[in-house]
Amino acid sequence: MSTGNVSAAARTVATRPLASADLPRVLAIEAVSFPAPWSELLFREDISRPDRIWRVAEAQAGAAGTSVGDVEGDPGVGSGPEIVGFGGMMIVGDEAHLMDIAVAPELRHQGIARRLLWDLAADAHRRGAQRMTLEVRPSNTEALALYASCGFDVAGRRPNYYAETGEDALVLWSRPIAPQLRAMEAAREGADLILAIETSCDETAASVLRGGRDELSAVIASQIDFHARFGGVVPEIASRKHTEAVVAVAQEALDRAGLTFADLDALAVTQGPGLVGALVVGLAYAKGLALGTGLPLIGVNHLEGHIYASRLLDPDIEPPLIALLISGGHTAIIHVPAWGHYELLGRTLDDAAGEAFDKVAKLLGLGYPGGPVISRLAAEGDPDAIPFPRAMMKSGDFDVSLSGLKTAVIQYVERERAAGRELHVPNIAASFQAAVVDVQVAKTVRAAEEHGVGAVVLAGGVAANPALRDGLGAALEARGKRLSVPPFDLCTDNATMIAAAAHDHLVAGRLLGLSADAVPNMRLGH
Ligand code: KG4
Ligand code: ZN
C-alpha cells in the first residue's frame, strides 16, 4: 500500500478486503456512526455477494489516536493493527454505488475515509466501474464535505428517500475514476505533471510542475500597469484582464514545458482567498479544461500556495515550522505542524503589511506598488529618524495592527508640510519600514520559540523586503533557528506554488468537483 504524506495517521493506515472475522469491530464502528445501523445479518449477507466490494482500514499499532506531532499513541491500542474504518460498494454495470463508509469517531478528519474511498474506487475500477455514485442525507454535512473533497458533485435530489424520517436524499456522482486514480498513482511516484492556474489578484499565472517540485514552466502576465494609475488593484479591471489573458497564459505554460493537455495528469487552480471576480475566471477556465480533457481538478488555497513556495528551492525545509505570510492582501503568522496542516496564530486586525507600504507610497507620491520603492529609499534613510508607533508590540498575542502606523505617517507628513518643512522621504521610508519590521520580527520569533520550531518560512510579496529578511534572519539565527525565504519570483503571486501544494492534495486524494465555487474568504486548514 502506498503512503500519503499529509496526515501522520493516514501514513500509517492501510486498507485490505473485509473478512467475516472483522465483523464485530465493523459493527461497533457502524453502531456509533449511523442513526439506523445495519445488523450483523445484513452485513453477512452483503459481504458474501459477488457484486460487492468491502474494505477495512487498519491503523498500525500506536497510530490510532495519534494526532500530528504526537508520538504517544492511544494507550487503549494493543500491539496488532486495529480496524479503524470500513466501506463498501456495489458494482452495477460500469457504476460503483457507494453503500457505506465509516471511521471510528476519534480518528475522523485524518484522511482515513478518503483513503478507503479511493482504495474501493481502485477495486471498483478493476471490476469495470467508470464512475462512483451514492445517496446521502442533506443534513450529513460531514459526509458531504468528504465527498466534495473527493471531487463528487451533487446531481439531484430524491424526495422522501429515507423511509424512517422522510428525509430527502442527495444524489452524488464522482468524476471519471480512471484519470483520477492514474493521477494519484503518478503523484505517489513523484512523477505527476500538473498544470496550475492562479488568478486570485492581479497576476494571471500558469505553471507546469513535475512531482510537486520540478518546475517545467512558469508564465505570469502581470496587470500592474493597468492598476498603477489607481494606486491599487481595481477588481473590475482584474477580472477583465484575467479573462483576456488566461487562455494564452495556460497555453504558453504548456508550450514552454513542451507538453500538450494529453500529457498532463491533473489541473490545479486557486480556489480562494482573493477577489471573487478574479478567482472565478481562473476557476471557470480550469473547470472547462477539466471537463474537456477529463483530467482531475485540484483546488488550492492561495495562502497554502505561498507556504509551499518555500519548499521549492529549499527542499530540506520540513515542518514543524512557522510561516510569516506577508503580502498586499495578507499578514498572518501560521503554525505548520505538518505539510497540509495549519494553525492560524495571529493576523492583521486591519491593513495588510503590503497594503500599508502601498498606502504610504501613495501618500508620498511614489507610485504603485509601494513596497519596492519604499524599501529602495529606506536603504538611504535613517530608521531611527522618526519614532513611528509599534502597535501591539506587547499585546501578548500574535495579531498585528497597521492602520495606526499608516495614520501616524499621514499625520507626520501633514504636520511637516503645514510647518513648511521639506520632507526627508528616505528617513520617512526607513522609519516606517523599521516600525513594520520590528513588530513582525518580534511576533514571528516569539511564535517560533513558543512552538519550539527550528525554522521559519517567509512568504508573500513583502518577503522581498531586505530589511525584513535581514532582521528576521538575524533574530532567528541568534536563537539557533533558521529562516527560509523563497527567491523573489516565488514570493510574489505565481502558479508554481499552487502546483506545489496541489501535488500533496493529489497524493492525499483531495480533488475538486466541477460544481465547486470560488471561495473569496477561504480559510487556511481543513
Ligand atoms: O504576494 P503579492 O505579490 O500579492 C498579494 O497577494 O498581495 O504581494 C504584493 C505586495 C504589494 O503590496 C507590494 O507593495 C509588496 O508586496 N512588496 C513589498 C516589497 N516588494 C513587494 N513590500 C515591501 N518591501 C518590498 N521590497
Ligand atoms: Zn499572494
Side-chain angles (χ1 to χ4, degrees):
M1 191 57 55
S2 44
T3 58
N5 65 350
V6 165
S7 141
R11 216 182 326 224
T12 47
V13 167
T15 76
R16 61 162 174 79
L18 185 152
S20 55
D22 302 327
L23 281 182
R25 177 71 184 145
V26 164
L27 284 163
I29 296 173
E30 169 87 4
V32 292
S33 300
F34 298 105
W38 280 23
S39 67
E40 177 169 354
L41 189 64
L42 222 51
F43 264 109
R44 281 198 187 284
E45 272 175 19
D46 206 277
I47 62 176
S48 63
R49 294 175 63 155
D51 59 345
R52 306 296 155 98
I53 299 166
W54 286 93
R55 275 188 175 264
V56 292
E58 282 181 327
Q60 299 312 311
T66 305
S67 60
V68 175
D70 172 6
V71 290
E72 298 291 330
D74 184 329
V77 175
S79 50
E82 163 145 8
I83 293 172
V84 294
F86 66 93
M89 286 184 184
M90 169 171 63
I91 308 290
V92 186
D94 62 358
E95 298 172 1
H97 290 241
L98 188 61
M99 295 184 296
D100 198 350
I101 203 158
V103 171
E106 67 278 13
L107 287 165
R108 289 182 190 154
H109 309 294
Q110 302 194 32
I112 297 170
R114 189 175 299 107
R115 163 65 74 84
L116 271 164
L117 188 137
W118 288 119
D119 287 354
L120 286 164
D123 290 343
H125 182 247
R126 280 190 285 274
R127 307 258 299 258
Q130 303 297 328
R131 293 226 185 193
M132 294 177 279
T133 184
L134 61 101
E135 286 99 16
V136 59
R137 291 165 204 269
S139 58
N140 193 347
T141 49
E142 256 185 58
L144 284 166
L146 166 70
Y147 299 123
S149 78
C150 293
F152 284 69
D153 289 303
V154 176
R157 188 183 266 263
R158 289 206 176 104
N160 305 317
Y161 180 80
Y162 295 100
E164 329 83 76
T165 58
E167 241 186 308
D168 296 350
L170 293 176
V171 181
L172 272 58
W173 279 91
S174 76
R175 301 201 54 222
I177 300 174
Q180 299 187 119
L181 292 173
R182 203 161 45 230
M184 283 177 223
E185 192 58 38
R188 288 178 187 140
E189 288 164 4
D192 52 313
L193 290 167
I194 295 181
L195 170 68
I197 292 160
E198 151 68 43
T199 65
S200 66
C201 189
D202 61 344
E203 329 269 8
T204 317
S207 290
V208 178
L209 212 65
R210 182 190 284 123
R213 309 254 178 176
D214 184 10
E215 181 188 89
L216 302 189
S217 66
V219 178
I220 300 182
S222 174
Q223 311 174 351
I224 272 190
D225 294 347
F226 299 99
H227 300 289
R229 66 191 141 121
F230 302 102
V233 177
V234 183
E236 289 291 320
I237 296 178
S239 314
R240 187 145 17 106
K241 292 293 162 195
H242 285 310
T243 309
E244 288 169 16
V246 70
V247 176
V249 166
Q251 188 59 53
E252 173 91 20
L254 274 183
D255 291 348
R256 286 197 205 168
L259 300 173
T260 68
F261 285 115
D263 299 315
L264 295 174
D265 292 296
L267 302 162
V269 65
T270 305
Q271 196 180 4
L275 302 169
V276 66
L279 290 164
V280 158
V281 175
L283 190 63
Y285 176 63
K287 291 199 295 195
L289 275 185
L291 186 64
T293 57
L295 287 168
L297 182 62
I298 303 158
V300 173
N301 182 308
H302 180 80
L303 308 182
E304 180 176 38
H306 273 303
I307 294 170
Y308 269 80
S310 64
R311 205 171 77 168
L312 284 159
L313 289 181
D314 187 358
D316 298 334
I317 191 85
E318 277 300 328
L321 50 83
I322 294 291
L324 172 59
L325 183 55
I326 182 162
S327 72
H330 309 278
T331 299
I333 297 177
I334 298 153
H335 176 220
V336 184
W339 290 116
H341 292 256
Y342 311 100
E343 181 194 0
L344 180 69
L345 300 180
R347 62 196 173 109
T348 178
L349 302 179
D350 35 60
D351 293 347
E355 194 180 351
F357 274 87
D358 294 338
K359 286 178 176 170
V360 167
K362 191 172 179 182
L363 170 75
L364 298 173
L366 300 174
Y368 172 84
V373 54
I374 291 212
S375 63
R376 212 162 40 243
L377 288 166
E380 299 153 24
D382 174 7
D384 299 321
I386 310 150
F388 287 130
R390 270 88 172 138
M392 302 185 68
M393 187 81 154
K394 304 234 151 41
S395 63
D397 58 18
F398 297 107
D399 289 335
V400 298
S401 162
L402 286 147
S403 75
L405 171 60
K406 176 192 65 192
T407 308
V409 177
I410 294 171
Q411 286 170 346
Y412 171 84
V413 168
E414 283 172 354
R415 235 178 9 249
E416 292 296 293
R417 281 183 179 147
R421 284 191 287 271
E422 201 176 318
L423 294 178
H424 194 297
V425 176
N427 279 356
I428 300 173
S431 301
F432 158 76
Q433 177 178 277
V436 175
V437 168
D438 280 358
V439 179
Q440 297 300 331
V441 170
K443 299 232 166 184
T444 307
V445 167
R446 193 161 59 75
E449 287 189 316
E450 282 186 14
H451 287 81
V453 307
V456 169
V457 304
L458 253 183
V462 184
N465 185 282
L468 178 63
R469 301 162 86 117
D470 297 349
L472 189 54
L476 289 169
E477 200 184 326
R479 291 162 178 83
K481 303 183 189 297
R482 91 176 171 101
L483 177 67
S484 176
V485 192
F488 180 67
D489 55 349
L490 286 173
C491 287
T492 51
D493 290 350
N494 65 87
T496 302
M497 67 185 194
I498 302 303
H503 164 82
D504 274 10
H505 286 239
L506 190 53
V507 169
R510 295 184 70 88
L511 302 174
L512 215 56
L514 295 188
S515 53
D517 275 328
V519 186
N521 299 315
M522 193 171 186
R523 299 179 57 151
L524 201 50
H526 351 280

Coordinates of all heavy atoms in Angstrom, one line a residue, residues 25 59-66 70 72-84 106-107:
R25 N -15.8 -5.8 15.1 CA -15.3 -4.4 15.1 C -16.0 -3.5 14.1 O -16.3 -2.3 14.4 CB -13.8 -4.5 14.8 CG -13.1 -3.2 14.8 CD -12.9 -2.5 16.1 NE -12.3 -1.2 16.0 CZ -12.5 -0.1 16.7 NH1 -13.4 -0.2 17.7 NH2 -11.9 1.0 16.4
A59 N -5.1 0.6 11.3 CA -4.0 1.5 11.8 C -3.0 0.6 12.4 O -3.3 -0.3 13.1 CB -4.6 2.5 12.8
Q60 N -1.8 0.9 12.1 CA -0.7 0.1 12.7 C -0.6 0.5 14.2 O -1.1 1.5 14.6 CB 0.7 0.4 12.0 CG 0.7 0.0 10.6 CD 0.1 -1.4 10.3 OE1 0.5 -2.3 11.0 NE2 -0.8 -1.5 9.4
A61 N -0.1 -0.4 15.0 CA 0.0 -0.2 16.4 C 0.6 1.2 16.7 O 1.6 1.6 16.1 CB 0.8 -1.3 17.1
G62 N -0.1 1.9 17.6 CA 0.5 3.2 18.0 C 0.0 4.3 17.2 O 0.1 5.5 17.5
A63 N -0.6 4.0 16.0 CA -1.0 5.1 15.1 C -2.4 5.6 15.5 O -2.7 6.8 15.4 CB -1.1 4.6 13.7
A64 N -3.3 4.7 16.0 CA -4.6 5.1 16.4 C -4.5 6.1 17.5 O -3.8 5.9 18.5 CB -5.4 3.9 16.8
G65 N -5.3 7.1 17.4 CA -5.3 8.2 18.4 C -4.1 9.1 18.3 O -4.0 10.1 19.1
T66 N -3.3 8.9 17.4 CA -2.1 9.7 17.2 C -2.4 10.9 16.4 O -2.7 10.7 15.2 CB -0.9 8.9 16.6 OG1 -0.7 7.8 17.4 CG2 0.3 9.8 16.5
D70 N 2.2 14.1 17.6 CA 2.0 13.3 18.8 C 2.5 11.9 18.6 O 2.0 11.2 17.8 CB 0.5 13.4 19.2 CG 0.2 12.5 20.4 OD1 1.1 11.9 21.0 OD2 -1.0 12.3 20.7
E72 N 2.7 9.7 21.1 CA 2.4 8.9 22.3 C 1.6 7.7 21.9 O 1.7 6.6 22.5 CB 1.6 9.7 23.3 CG 2.4 10.9 23.9 CD 3.5 10.5 24.8 OE1 3.4 9.4 25.4 OE2 4.5 11.2 24.8
G73 N 0.6 7.8 21.0 CA -0.3 6.8 20.7 C -1.4 6.7 21.7 O -1.4 7.3 22.8
D74 N -2.4 5.9 21.4 CA -3.5 5.7 22.2 C -3.2 4.5 23.2 O -3.0 3.4 22.7 CB -4.7 5.4 21.4 CG -6.0 5.3 22.2 OD1 -5.9 4.9 23.4 OD2 -7.1 5.6 21.6
P75 N -3.3 4.8 24.5 CA -3.0 3.7 25.4 C -3.9 2.5 25.3 O -3.6 1.4 25.6 CB -3.1 4.4 26.8 CG -3.8 5.7 26.6 CD -3.6 6.0 25.1
G76 N -5.1 2.7 24.7 CA -6.0 1.7 24.5 C -5.7 0.7 23.4 O -6.4 -0.3 23.2
V77 N -4.7 1.0 22.6 CA -4.4 0.2 21.4 C -3.4 -0.9 21.7 O -2.4 -0.6 22.3 CB -3.9 1.1 20.3 CG1 -3.5 0.2 19.1 CG2 -5.1 2.1 19.9
G78 N -3.7 -2.1 21.4 CA -2.7 -3.2 21.6 C -1.6 -3.2 20.6 O -1.4 -2.2 19.9
S79 N -1.0 -4.3 20.4 CA 0.2 -4.3 19.6 C -0.1 -4.6 18.1 O 0.6 -4.0 17.2 CB 1.2 -5.4 20.0 OG 0.4 -6.6 20.2
G80 N -1.2 -5.3 17.8 CA -1.5 -5.6 16.4 C -2.2 -4.4 15.7 O -2.6 -3.5 16.3
P81 N -2.4 -4.5 14.4 CA -3.1 -3.5 13.7 C -4.6 -3.5 14.1 O -5.1 -4.6 14.4 CB -3.0 -3.9 12.2 CG -2.5 -5.2 12.1 CD -1.9 -5.6 13.5
E82 N -5.2 -2.4 14.2 CA -6.6 -2.3 14.6 C -7.5 -1.7 13.5 O -7.1 -0.8 12.8 CB -6.7 -1.4 15.9 CG -8.1 -0.9 16.1 CD -8.3 -0.8 17.6 OE1 -7.4 -0.9 18.4 OE2 -9.5 -0.5 18.0
I83 N -8.7 -2.3 13.4 CA -9.6 -1.8 12.4 C -10.2 -0.4 12.8 O -10.7 -0.3 13.9 CB -10.7 -2.8 12.1 CG1 -10.2 -4.0 11.5 CG2 -11.8 -2.2 11.2 CD1 -11.1 -5.2 11.3
V84 N -10.0 0.6 12.0 CA -10.4 1.9 12.4 C -11.5 2.5 11.4 O -12.0 3.6 11.7 CB -9.2 2.9 12.4 CG1 -8.3 2.5 13.5 CG2 -8.5 3.0 11.0
E106 N -13.1 8.9 16.9 CA -11.9 9.6 17.4 C -10.8 9.7 16.3 O -9.8 10.4 16.5 CB -11.3 8.9 18.7 CG -10.7 7.5 18.5 CD -11.8 6.4 18.4 OE1 -13.0 6.7 18.3 OE2 -11.4 5.2 18.5
L107 N -11.0 9.1 15.2 CA -10.0 9.1 14.2 C -10.5 9.8 12.9 O -9.9 9.6 11.8 CB -9.5 7.7 13.8 CG -8.7 7.1 15.0 CD1 -8.5 5.6 14.8 CD2 -7.3 7.8 14.9

